Amino acid sequence: MLAGARRLVIHHRYGGPVTHLGAPRVRLAGPEDLAALGHLLHDFNREFEEPAPAPAVLAARLGRLLEHGDTEVLVVGDGPDGPHGLAVLRFRLALWTEGLECYLAELYVVPSRRGRGLGRALVEEALGQARRRGADTMDIGVDEPDLAARRLYESLGFTNRSGGEGGPLMYVYERDL
Amino acid sequence: MLAGARRLVIHHRYGGPVTHLGAPRVRLAGPEDLAALGHLLHDFNREFEEPAPAPAVLAARLGRLLEHGDTEVLVVGDGPDGPHGLAVLRFRLALWTEGLECYLAELYVVPSRRGRGLGRALVEEALGQARRRGADTMDIGVDEPDLAARRLYESLGFTNRSGGEGGPLMYVYERDL
């Protein structure tokens, strides 16, 4: 297994209609959320039967990313055990445009809360947050069979074709070092 | 056209055998290379009939990236007008592994120098440079019809299948903001 593969796999079930009133509340995560986010990320990996670092390790790594400043985390659906979903955004200076580029590195909603628009709310807020921070583009890595995720992204204006409609498919290539 | 699309398209002709003696010399670029690199990046974009910022703009942006420290540029084949090819590497802290992740953001060899192993030499040196800097993984965005580039990357251990051989294809999704 490629160590980096998990990072590029974004699974999300976007099935049913939104059955509650009002839009899910999305907020920026802070240091106080790290422990819960470590568990979320761990569950994310375990759900797809990939070896995952321990929750505390993931919490520490995410804390390091937040501290570095190139990373923001959005969370949704706060429950007694913590958020029900998260989106991890990575920013960096762009070469082909004047501003930043934003990479939606992770998107996860716990299985019991899917089909309620939490993923969509996270991505919509991610778009807004990226614009506010000065990003000109957003990119995501998605596995071909993740049709629910792909439909969600396509419905929000993303394409996997270079130059847009009718262009060639864009692949991610990767390897461990 | 997506402003970010160009960035994800890596074209490279890997056709003939290496016809000269000795491996092409690859070196790290410095501030003194920026003007020539701006022209290379401009030609790269123009070759595929996409609107490109002026060479001086690209040189300035690349300079900003080098100064920031998350970017390294490798060049190959120094001629009187500057290098014949370049590779742009972006580094950042990883979440799923302990070290860094490296993104091979650009790979370009001028048309008149293709088929001589310059692209391969650049990617091989990129792998070494990424390892030396502490990266655990490298990823690249490649268009589906870029068979020469894909063959090159596959021959160097890259895959566009999640988890490796037999896994699902990995797509890049993106949008302007």
Side-chain angles (χ1 to χ4, degrees):
Chain A
M1 195 213 66
L2 285 170
R6 171 80 260 124
R7 181 178 49 79
L8 295 157
V9 183
I10 293 167
H11 295 263
H12 172 78
R13 301 259 168 76
Y14 177 69
V18 178
T19 53
H20 60 285
L21 294 173
R25 185 175 158 261
V26 178
R27 64 174 174 85
L28 275 172
E32 68 282 5
D33 296 302
L34 286 175
L37 295 177
H39 282 280
L40 270 190
L41 289 169
H42 181 79
D43 293 348
F44 183 9
N45 242 29
R46 294 303 301 158
E47 183 174 341
F48 300 97
E49 288 167 16
E50 302 204 20
V57 171
L58 291 167
R61 287 219 193 110
L62 196 60
R64 187 177 64 160
L65 267 51
L66 289 177
E67 212 165 287
H68 178 279
D70 73 347
T71 303
E72 289 178 0
V73 181
L74 297 170
V75 294
V76 71
D78 286 293
D81 298 332
H84 298 135
L86 89 170
V88 177
L89 304 178
R90 310 293 305 268
F91 294 90
R92 67 179 156 205
L93 288 166
L95 176 57
W96 297 105
T97 65
E98 193 54 38
L100 305 177
E101 53 187 50
C102 178
Y103 176 53
L104 178 57
E106 314 294 337
L107 180 69
Y108 180 66
V109 173
V110 298
S112 65
R113 300 283 170 158
R114 290 177 191 164
R116 304 176 190 203
L118 298 190
R120 175 174 292 269
L122 281 167
V123 180
E124 285 176 346
E125 184 57 24
L127 291 167
Q129 184 64 18
R131 285 191 196 100
R132 283 190 292 276
R133 186 152 167 167
D136 299 315
T137 58
M138 184 181 289
D139 61 290
I140 322 172
V142 191
D143 279 6
E144 190 277 335
D146 283 347
L147 296 179
R150 292 174 58 197
R151 270 197 296 270
L152 172 66
Y153 297 132
E154 286 168 12
S155 77
L156 290 170
F158 289 87
T159 177
N160 63 346
R161 294 191 174 271
S162 181
E165 188 108 13
L169 288 167
M170 298 181 289
Y171 291 133
V172 175
Y173 270 82
E174 63 171 5
R175 60 161 289 175
D176 289 342
L177 295 178
Chain B
M1 197 212 64
L2 286 170
R6 170 82 260 120
R7 182 179 47 79
L8 296 157
V9 183
I10 293 169
H11 297 263
H12 172 78
R13 302 259 169 73
Y14 178 69
V18 179
T19 52
H20 59 286
L21 293 174
R25 185 175 158 260
V26 178
R27 65 174 175 84
L28 275 172
E32 68 282 5
D33 296 301
L34 286 174
L37 295 177
H39 282 281
L40 269 190
L41 289 168
H42 181 79
D43 293 347
F44 183 10
N45 241 30
R46 295 303 301 159
E47 183 174 342
F48 299 98
E49 288 167 15
E50 301 203 21
V57 172
L58 291 168
R61 287 218 192 108
L62 196 59
R64 186 177 64 162
L65 268 51
L66 289 177
E67 213 164 287
H68 178 278
D70 73 346
T71 303
E72 289 178 1
V73 181
L74 297 170
V75 294
V76 70
D78 286 293
D81 299 333
H84 299 134
L86 89 172
V88 177
L89 304 178
R90 309 293 306 269
F91 294 90
R92 64 179 158 207
L93 289 167
L95 177 57
W96 297 105
T97 63
E98 193 53 38
L100 304 178
E101 53 188 49
C102 178
Y103 176 53
L104 178 58
E106 314 293 338
L107 180 70
Y108 181 65
V109 173
V110 298
S112 65
R113 300 283 171 160
R114 290 177 191 162
R116 305 177 190 201
L118 297 190
R120 173 174 293 268
L122 281 167
V123 181
E124 285 176 346
E125 184 57 25
L127 291 167
Q129 184 64 18
R131 285 190 194 101
R132 284 190 291 275
R133 186 153 167 166
D136 298 316
T137 59
M138 184 181 288
D139 60 291
I140 322 172
V142 191
D143 279 8
E144 189 277 335
D146 282 348
L147 296 180
R150 292 173 58 197
R151 269 196 297 270
L152 172 65
Y153 297 133
E154 287 167 12
S155 77
L156 290 170
F158 289 88
T159 177
N160 62 347
R161 295 190 173 271
S162 181
E165 189 109 9
L169 287 167
M170 299 182 288
Y171 290 134
V172 175
Y173 270 83
E174 62 170 7
R175 61 160 290 175
D176 288 343
L177 295 177

